[in-house]
Amino acid sequence: MTQLSRKIRPEDEVEGLDAPALRRLNALGPLDAADRERLRAAMAEARIVPVRHPILTLGRPMPESQILLQGWAARVRILPDGRRQFMSFYLPGDVIGRVHHALPIASATVIALTECVLCTAPAAPAGSSLEQVYAVGEALDEAYLLGHVVQLGRLNAQERIGDFLLEIYERLSLAGLTVGGSFEMPLTQEMLADALGLTPVHVNRMIQQARRDGDLMWKSGRVLLRDPDRTARTIGRLRPQVTGAQPEGAADTTSEPSRPA
């Protein structure tokens, strides 16, 4: 935990602060009453990390795993010449730094892209509903990382942007943070470029094209996907399904696109 973090004071409390995180965790697998109480007790000890400050630092010992309750964070790698790659993003309800070995060292720096509220992830008793939720969350993290490999390796610029925005939309939907096809988007076009291996100029050009095509609106930090299902069909996106007990609404109905023999 960064030394610049601070505990939440009563005057900092926001009504329903923990609701999106609980909603997302419960969407991954139904939480029983005991595990809900474990999470609420942990959330009562939440702390704030200011924007642009580290949550984890590459090569340094990792503290206990943490749940992001509010805000956006990102895994980032800065090259010696200053180039930046965002490798993945953390949204409310995501677990940061969950490991299964002794004396873990951070394999990437995680920074707060906005002011973040975090709490220690409570231990999950063997066989508990929380253990299952953590496991499904880890499987989804892996699935999204594999999806990013496809984004960077095989999709064109327009497809990368559409695929990325659909991923964010899907993930925020699990936390109840979408309205229709819209969601808050604190990323700048420069950040999006650094996540998708594009230049900011190219990102801007592609977004303007998507606006003209009527696919999206992006204004004042909010994105509206006019028809997410049509966009997914156009680029052949399939939502990841990592368990037979997939939460309702998380499995994609789009068929796997056919390929020539």
Side-chain angles (χ1 to χ4, degrees), residues 75-90:
R75 284 190 188 116
V76 63
R77 182 71 57 84
I78 308 294
L79 300 180
D81 61 4
R83 285 176 295 167
R84 176 177 64 177
Q85 178 69 48
F86 288 114
M87 295 173 285
S88 64
F89 294 90
Y90 291 102

Side-chain angles (χ1 to χ4, degrees), residues 107-142:
S107 59
T109 293
V110 176
I111 61 169
L113 298 180
T114 66
E115 182 176 83
C116 288
V117 179
L118 302 106
C119 72
T120 298
S128 67
S129 62
L130 187 57
E131 182 184 49
Q132 173 68 8
V133 164
Y134 284 161
V136 172
E138 289 176 30
L140 278 175
D141 288 345
E142 181 182 17

Side-chain angles (χ1 to χ4, degrees), residues 148-164:
H148 294 168
V149 174
V150 178
Q151 280 181 2
L152 298 176
R154 281 293 177 259
L155 301 188
N156 63 37
Q158 194 75 41
E159 291 169 336
R160 289 184 200 183
I161 293 170
D163 191 67
F164 177 81

Side-chain angles (χ1 to χ4, degrees), residues 20-41:
L22 274 177
R23 190 177 295 117
R24 190 260 181 183
L25 292 168
N26 194 64
L28 300 182
L31 292 163
D32 62 26
D35 284 331
R36 283 178 174 271
E37 185 55 37
R38 288 187 182 93
L39 287 164
R40 290 195 177 97

Side-chain angles (χ1 to χ4, degrees), residues 140-217:
L140 278 175
D141 288 345
E142 181 182 17
Y144 285 126
L145 284 172
L146 293 174
H148 294 168
V149 174
V150 178
Q151 280 181 2
L152 298 176
R154 281 293 177 259
L155 301 188
N156 63 37
Q158 194 75 41
E159 291 169 336
R160 289 184 200 183
I161 293 170
D163 191 67
F164 177 81
L165 294 177
L166 283 169
E167 176 196 319
I168 297 300
Y169 170 70
E170 293 162 8
R171 293 171 61 191
L172 290 176
S173 293
L174 288 180
L177 293 173
T178 59
V179 179
S182 72
F183 52 91
E184 290 187 7
M185 177 75 156
L187 305 183
T188 65
Q189 292 185 14
E190 182 179 4
M191 290 175 177
L192 194 58
D194 288 344
L196 300 179
L198 303 169
T199 66
V201 171
H202 202 173
V203 167
N204 182 265
R205 186 181 301 123
M206 294 297 98
I207 289 174
Q208 294 302 327
Q209 182 63 52
R211 284 172 172 159
R212 289 192 294 270
D213 293 342
D215 292 333
L216 67 81
M217 290 181 60

